[in-house]
Amino acid sequence: HNMNVFANESFVDEMALAAGKDPVEYRMSLLEGKPRFQNVLKLATQKAGYKKGAAKGNAMGVAIMEGYDTYVAVVAEVSVGADGEVKVVKTTVAADMGMIVNPEIVEQQIQSSIIMGMGQTLKHAITVKNGVVEQTNFNSYAMVRTNESPLVNIVLVKSGEKPGGIGEPVTAAIIPALANAVAKLTGKRVRTLPITGKAIQQA
């Protein structure tokens, strides 16, 4: 699941743009007969204030996915700093994973999944110079730091469906949500990761 969501959900946004439709409305039109998907998308966008719009100078991106019997929708709000790098301001997640055994653990998992997905989207890269990998430890392999962590809003759907998994779905979905927000903000579609300031300039 997780390797395909970036491509799939980025392309859905491109199709929405080509059709002249709002990305959320476009997704809703494709999700007829899939009430769990429609519900998490509705809940996430409502909680994020999607219809009201992002703060001045920011943009919101949306992505959805189903994995391991769990349905998630993610809304990411981003800005671009003076250094040209993407700043994640706020994220909102709605998750329907069936019956929830331990809500606190689920929330912790979602929060950590957001941070992990941010790293994959904006920072993580392995480069080779003269046949040698340049990253040797965390001083040269960038991680998301505490001061870079965004506000994370979470909506958990109460359900009697069988329990699903929450380990990977949010990590996968935050990546295209961020990519879609960057594309909306800058007008440039970056199709490879990480989405750095240099990558945006070259897109």
Side-chain angles (χ1 to χ4, degrees), residues 83-171:
D83 57 358
E85 299 298 326
V86 177
K87 311 294 181 184
V88 184
V89 179
K90 180 176 69 172
T91 60
T92 304
V93 178
D96 178 355
M97 54 182 296
M99 187 180 297
I100 298 172
V101 177
N102 190 325
E104 289 187 4
I105 293 295
V106 170
E107 290 189 2
Q108 292 167 17
Q109 187 72 50
I110 289 173
Q111 291 163 348
S112 61
S113 292
I114 290 291
I115 299 303
M116 183 175 181
M118 282 175 56
Q120 292 174 326
T121 311
L122 306 175
K123 293 177 176 289
H124 296 174
I126 296 294
T127 56
V128 178
K129 185 176 181 179
N130 298 324
V132 178
V133 173
E134 294 183 289
Q135 293 75 26
T136 58
N137 211 318
F138 291 117
N139 64 321
S140 52
Y141 185 78
M143 303 293 288
V144 176
R145 296 179 179 273
T146 302
N147 66 321
E148 298 169 316
S149 301
L151 175 66
V152 180
N153 292 319
I154 300 171
V155 181
L156 299 180
V157 176
K158 292 183 179 180
S159 172
E161 298 283 346
K162 67 178 182 178
I166 198 63
E168 291 183 29
V170 176
T171 304

Side-chain angles (χ1 to χ4, degrees), residues 57-61 76-91 114-115 117-124 142-145 147-150 174-190 192-201 203:
N58 297 357
M60 291 185 191
E77 183 172 341
V78 306
S79 64
V80 174
D83 57 358
E85 299 298 326
V86 177
K87 311 294 181 184
V88 184
V89 179
K90 180 176 69 172
T91 60
I114 290 291
I115 299 303
M118 282 175 56
Q120 292 174 326
T121 311
L122 306 175
K123 293 177 176 289
H124 296 174
M143 303 293 288
V144 176
R145 296 179 179 273
N147 66 321
E148 298 169 316
S149 301
I174 186 61
I175 297 172
L178 290 170
N180 292 335
V182 170
K184 188 173 183 179
L185 182 62
T186 66
K188 296 184 176 182
R189 173 64 62 178
V190 181
T192 58
L193 301 177
I195 302 175
T196 61
K198 183 177 180 181
I200 295 171
Q201 288 181 340

